[in-house]
Amino acid sequence: MTKLRGAVIGVGYLGNFHAQKYKNNPNVELVGVCDHFPAQADKIAADLGVKSFHKPEDLIGQVDLVTIAASTLSHYELAKMFLQNGVHVNVEKPITATVPQAEELVAFAQKNNLKLAVGHIERFNPSVLEVKKHLKNPKVIELNRMATYKTRGADVSVLHDLMIHDIDMLFFLSGSEIESMIGTGSKLVSKELDTASVTFKMKNGVVGIINVSRVSSGMQRSVRVIQEDNTIFALTGTHELEKVEKGNGTPDELVKITKWTVNKEDALQKETDAFIDAVLNNKNPVVTGLDGLKALKAIEDVEKLIEG
């Protein structure tokens, strides 16, 4: 079988990993990497033994699919250029800087039968998938994402940087749309929001609570789900899970607590492989452009709520 030809646009910290994942997939030939900074493109290309490109347009005609891991502000123009030239696109989250840009890309991809996938990597997190398996009739879904401050990513708010992961997970785990929300946030270091706490009422009655901060003393990612007869808690960074339910009624076991772990998996490799599989077998991506648009719309609504 002829291999698909792929490339990564934007090979900074995250894009470098994306390029490595392409190299690991037997169905793709990594044609090259491209970056706004020529020296960075040259360095990563040399490390991976592929060609370096300094202009993304030079890849047209040489690739079947690309991953865009450049700055958010460039997502729209880059994705549009490749889609208009018949190239399937996987773009890092958020899909674009604005909702109208995302709507245009989604409509164009659908009209022209092109795959547009969005890098909401938590959909491939084994802990999140394990929690999903245990859901029956969730009443409350609480998502917490705490990180230490880094200048990388600080050009956008904590909503676009971190909360967008949890918004997508809330849609994924609740299986519903947002009906209403209340929330607040603060700007401690940046010109943009650094913390946010929002409570959502979903249309199916589920209450969603999302707390994010990029000015915490340590890193933590967790999911807690309250159901009729149990509570499930997962540390999604370390893949430790806990289920609390009614015990057998004896004094020794009024409450039954079950703890377990799931195997760590390479979520970025799974994301890359899923995108390649969607192109190869003409399937919908696991996280579609429409999913990315929905998450971005919700983030913009949260931003309007908090900023007033």
Side-chain angles (χ1 to χ4, degrees), residues 23-251:
K23 286 281 284 188
N24 293 340
N25 188 294
N27 296 316
V28 170
E29 175 197 352
L30 182 65
V31 170
V33 297
C34 179
D35 198 272
H36 178 69
F37 298 100
Q40 180 67 9
D42 294 347
K43 178 185 180 300
I44 302 303
D47 290 345
L48 295 173
V50 299
K51 190 175 178 181
S52 173
F53 292 84
H54 300 162
K55 295 179 181 179
E57 55 267 30
D58 290 343
L59 282 157
I60 300 301
Q62 300 193 49
V63 290
D64 305 302
L65 72 172
V66 296
T67 288
I68 296 171
S71 68
T72 299
L73 292 176
S74 67
H75 285 184
Y76 167 71
E77 291 294 345
L78 288 169
K80 182 179 179 180
M81 180 187 71
F82 283 107
L83 288 170
Q84 286 180 334
N85 284 278
V87 178
H88 304 282
V89 172
N90 177 38
V91 61
E92 258 303 335
K93 62 83 197 166
I95 180 173
T96 53
T98 70
V99 165
Q101 290 176 343
E103 287 174 337
E104 183 183 333
L105 295 183
V106 168
F108 186 88
Q110 288 177 341
K111 182 181 177 182
N112 293 277
N113 195 29
L114 290 164
K115 307 306 173 190
L116 176 60
V118 186
H120 286 284
I121 196 170
E122 294 290 6
R123 294 278 199 105
F124 302 90
N125 184 317
S127 301
V128 174
L129 296 173
E130 182 74 5
V131 169
K132 177 83 167 172
K133 284 196 289 187
H134 288 265
L135 298 186
K136 293 178 183 175
N137 187 23
K139 295 183 175 298
V140 178
I141 299 172
E142 181 182 0
L143 301 148
N144 296 293
R145 188 175 300 265
M146 308 297 157
T148 55
Y149 188 77
K150 297 182 182 70
T151 53
R152 180 176 61 83
D155 57 326
V156 295
S157 75
V158 73
L159 306 179
H160 294 81
D161 186 27
L162 299 184
M163 187 183 278
I164 197 161
H165 282 299
D166 302 293
I167 287 280
D168 182 66
M169 275 204 289
L170 181 59
F171 288 134
F172 177 60
L173 294 174
S174 71
S176 184
E177 308 293 318
I178 296 168
E179 183 175 293
S180 61
M181 64 178 86
I182 56 169
T184 187
S186 65
K187 301 174 184 178
L188 295 180
V189 179
S190 318
K191 293 179 181 178
E192 305 287 349
L193 288 167
D194 291 314
T195 71
S197 295
V198 184
T199 299
F200 302 87
K201 182 183 178 184
M202 309 304 283
K203 290 182 178 178
N204 64 357
V206 170
V207 173
I209 303 167
I210 300 180
N211 302 302
V212 292
S213 171
R214 60 180 177 194
V215 288
S216 296
S217 59
M219 308 285 282
Q220 183 188 328
R221 289 180 287 154
S222 66
V223 179
R224 184 172 69 107
V225 181
I226 298 173
Q227 304 193 101
E228 189 71 49
D229 56 357
N230 63 59
T231 297
I232 300 166
F233 179 78
L235 290 169
T236 59
T238 59
H239 308 304
E240 299 167 87
L241 292 100
E242 177 181 288
K243 186 176 185 179
V244 180
E245 55 195 325
K246 185 178 180 180
N248 59 20
T250 66

